[in-house]
Amino acid sequence: MLVEQTNARFVVQSILSQDKSNMERWETIRHGLEMWKASPWIGAGLGVFIETSSQWLKEPTVIHSTPVWILAEFGLFGAVILIAIFS
């Protein structure tokens, strides 16, 4: 009986928040890719996305994709350095 109640709560929560959450996630990725397109080699700089994200979204938000975040803020040059460090 407890399992059914837990599952019911999970289903209700996912129905209410899934579309909004997914839309926000895709918005951050889209804006991150636009930021990378604007400065593909060296990126926009660390912290620029979260500082400017409140212009597009209701509150400061991070990019919900690590590869897009690295490219947007560090560019290809920074991404290569990070790959070299962790390889």
Side-chain angles (χ1 to χ4, degrees), residues 5-75:
Q5 289 176 352
T6 304
N7 288 339
R9 287 184 194 151
F10 178 74
V11 171
V12 169
Q13 181 194 5
S14 67
I15 289 170
L16 295 176
S17 65
Q18 186 176 11
D19 289 337
K20 181 182 177 190
S21 177
N22 286 339
M23 292 298 289
E24 182 178 290
R25 185 176 299 115
W26 285 111
E27 278 294 302
T28 63
I29 292 170
R30 185 176 65 82
H31 286 293
L33 289 172
E34 288 175 1
M35 186 178 285
W36 176 54
K37 245 173 81 173
S39 184
W41 296 108
I42 59 170
L46 186 59
V48 171
F49 186 88
I50 197 164
E51 286 295 320
T52 58
S53 65
S54 58
Q55 296 172 4
W56 312 303
L57 304 166
K58 294 178 183 177
E59 59 189 358
T61 308
V62 297
I63 299 173
H64 292 284
S65 169
T66 302
V68 174
W69 169 68
I70 289 171
L71 288 172
E73 295 197 351
F74 296 108

